[in-house]
Amino acid sequence: MSTVAIFMGSLSDEETVRPCADVLDDLGIDYTFTVTSAHRTPERTARLIQEMEDSGCQVFICAAGMAAHLAGAVAAKTIRPVIGIPVTASALGGMDALLATVQMPPGFPVGTVALDRAGARNAAWMAAQILALHDTELAQKLREVREDFKEGVELAAKELQRHG
């Protein structure tokens, strides 16, 4: 059973989206990582959503560039949280994907994160926070990781002062 589904609109997005899977791996969260397209394979997308829901998926993460309708297509078929990662894939520098992902009609929200790799990482963190609402062990793991982040900043500041 995968608790998170990561959908990409194209295999060419894999390098950009891989950090999402890496964070989920580090947190011990099961996921499915696959390619499906809102435009080229709408039937596959709908089938995958149903299969994932039936197997216990709790959060969908969708990455797409250009028209970027994948997250919206998924949001139209599920009431589970959908997180969109806009991918830079056109001469518009990702603005087209960002707007297509964030501009959803009322009742079909897509939680939209930053573009590309930073967004991929934050999509995983957001999914983990959603799952942690009902998983005390995961919630504790997130608190510990946050503490590690804090300690890393403190160490970096001390290192800079030594060389400053």
Side-chain angles (χ1 to χ4, degrees):
M1 173 183 95
S2 297
T3 54
V4 175
I6 305 169
F7 293 166
M8 299 180 298
S10 172
L11 186 58
S12 64
D13 298 333
E14 196 268 338
E15 183 180 331
T16 301
V17 182
R18 177 58 59 186
C20 180
D22 294 342
V23 170
L24 295 175
D25 281 335
D26 290 346
L27 294 171
I29 297 172
D30 294 326
Y31 61 89
T32 297
F33 193 9
T34 193
V35 176
T36 191
S37 170
H39 301 107
R40 294 181 299 271
T41 60
E43 298 84 6
R44 173 180 164 73
T45 302
R47 179 178 47 79
L48 284 170
I49 294 164
Q50 188 62 58
E51 288 172 0
M52 295 300 302
E53 284 188 349
D54 290 347
S55 70
C57 182
Q58 296 298 305
V59 181
F60 291 89
I61 297 173
C62 302
M66 298 176 76
H69 289 296
L70 184 56
V74 172
K77 296 284 188 185
T78 186
I79 61 167
R80 308 252 165 93
V82 177
I83 302 167
I85 306 167
V87 175
T88 302
S90 76
L92 297 177
M95 185 59 76
D96 49 345
L98 176 61
L99 293 174
T101 305
V102 77
Q103 294 291 342
M104 292 298 300
F108 299 88
V110 170
T112 306
V113 293
L115 291 164
D116 301 329
R117 295 173 66 86
R121 284 188 293 275
N122 270 342
W125 289 113
M126 183 178 287
Q129 289 178 249
I130 292 166
L131 296 172
L133 291 170
H134 301 287
D135 183 335
T136 56
E137 187 176 313
L138 179 58
Q140 182 57 36
K141 192 180 292 186
L142 290 174
R143 285 185 196 91
E144 291 168 4
V145 170
R146 290 264 179 109
E147 191 61 32
D148 290 345
F149 288 160
K150 177 183 167 185
E151 289 173 12
V153 171
E154 295 292 341
L155 287 172
K158 287 177 185 174
E159 182 68 23
L160 186 60
Q161 280 181 329
R162 263 189 293 213
H163 298 295

